[in-house]
């Protein structure tokens, strides 16, 4: 909302704060940006925790919520690799913060209402070793419909890469950021 500002202090947590040394680069950084998501976030976190291993890190950026989201993040401090809660300038600012905090070879963006059903580890390892920059996979929509990403010429005309199934090389984001000028679209 234009003119809406949260006045909150910065709160930071996660397993990473207790590390004494830098771990190896994980295969995937799962990035979740939220604001007032205390109702939807638990189901997403459970779905990630069930599949998470040492090759996957979870980063959560909260926009300074006052609905219990921060309490939920603290409650799962030992399972979330890094989280921060502070006022921001919107979703794209939060996404940029998360990307700067990420360590993984690939980035996967999941929203609080999403659920992680699988991590295509073998395919992502192959993609990493062969220099693939974007890897897109099937997405289940409400358990009723499977969406399969397109490729080639069709991709030029249709937005067919759902964020829940698209893994982006993190190195691509090291020299670029999401634009924060608009609240609903990033250019």
């Amino acid at each position: 909302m234009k003119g809406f500002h949260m006045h909150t202090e910065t709160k930071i947590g996660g397993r990473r704060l207790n590390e004494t040394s830098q771990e190896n680069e994980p295969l995937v950084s799962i990035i979740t940006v939220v604001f007032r998501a205390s109702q939807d976030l638990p189901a997403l976190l459970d779905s990630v925790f069930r599949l998470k291993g040492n090759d996957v890190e979870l980063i959560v950026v909260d926009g300074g919520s006052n609905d219990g989201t921060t309490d939920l993040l603290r409650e799962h401090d030992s399972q979330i690799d890094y989280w921060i809660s502070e006022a921001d300038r919107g979703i794209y600012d939060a996404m940029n913060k998360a990307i700067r905090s990420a360590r993984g070879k690939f980035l996967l963006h999941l929203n609080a209402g999403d659920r992680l059903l699988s991590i295509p580890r073998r395919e992502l390892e192959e993609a990493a070793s062969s220099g693939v920059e974007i890897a897109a996979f099937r997405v289940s929509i409400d358990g009723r419909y499977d969406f399969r990403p397109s490729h080639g010429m069709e991709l030029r005309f249709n937005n067919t890469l759902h964020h829940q199934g698209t893994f982006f090389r993190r190195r691509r984001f090291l020299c670029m950021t999401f634009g924060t000028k608009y609240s609903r679209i990033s250019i």
Side-chain angles (χ1 to χ4, degrees):
M1 279 190 250
K2 202 168 199 170
F4 180 77
H5 298 284
M6 292 287 299
H7 297 286
T8 61
E9 61 191 66
T10 299
K11 299 170 189 133
I12 300 174
R15 296 175 345 126
R16 189 183 292 176
L17 300 182
N18 298 320
E19 289 179 1
T20 54
S21 65
Q22 297 279 47
E23 290 186 25
N24 291 334
E25 179 182 51
L27 180 62
V28 178
S29 294
I30 297 174
I31 291 174
T32 300
V33 298
V34 298
F35 183 63
R36 296 184 184 151
S38 64
Q39 298 298 311
D40 292 324
L41 191 56
L44 171 65
L45 293 177
D46 288 343
S47 74
V48 171
F49 297 156
R50 278 195 298 274
L51 297 169
K52 191 175 171 308
N54 291 334
D55 59 345
V56 175
E57 70 174 355
L58 174 60
I59 296 170
V60 181
V61 175
D62 171 55
S65 299
N66 59 3
D67 69 335
T69 298
T70 306
D71 296 329
L72 184 64
L73 295 173
R74 277 194 193 106
E75 186 180 313
H76 294 288
D77 201 63
S78 65
Q79 295 169 290
I80 299 171
D81 294 276
Y82 178 76
W83 63 266
I84 184 168
S85 178
E86 65 182 355
D88 57 42
R89 296 177 315 187
I91 190 169
Y92 298 111
D93 183 38
M95 290 169 71
N96 289 334
K97 284 181 195 179
I99 291 167
R100 285 191 301 270
S101 300
R103 296 179 180 171
K105 291 177 185 161
F106 289 97
L107 306 176
L108 175 66
H109 295 268
L110 294 177
N111 295 328
D114 296 333
R115 304 296 173 263
L116 184 63
L117 301 179
S118 66
I119 301 172
R121 286 175 167 90
R122 183 179 51 80
E123 292 88 346
L124 289 172
E125 287 289 356
E126 289 174 14
S129 64
S130 62
V132 170
E133 298 295 321
I134 300 172
F137 298 91
R138 180 180 59 85
V139 172
S140 176
I141 300 173
D142 295 328
R144 291 177 281 171
Y145 172 72
D146 280 354
F147 177 84
R148 297 185 188 281
S150 64
H151 60 296
M153 193 57 91
E154 183 182 349
L155 186 56
R156 292 177 182 254
F157 299 106
N158 296 310
N159 178 12
T160 60
L161 299 179
H162 286 282
H163 71 270
Q164 303 93 334
T166 305
F167 296 77
F168 297 91
R169 254 323 163 137
R170 179 177 56 92
R171 68 181 180 205
R172 284 288 168 205
F173 288 92
L174 296 178
C175 59
M176 63 182 234
T177 58
F178 287 104
T180 58
K181 182 176 179 181
Y182 304 105
S183 63
R184 300 204 192 284
I185 187 169
S186 177
I187 52 175

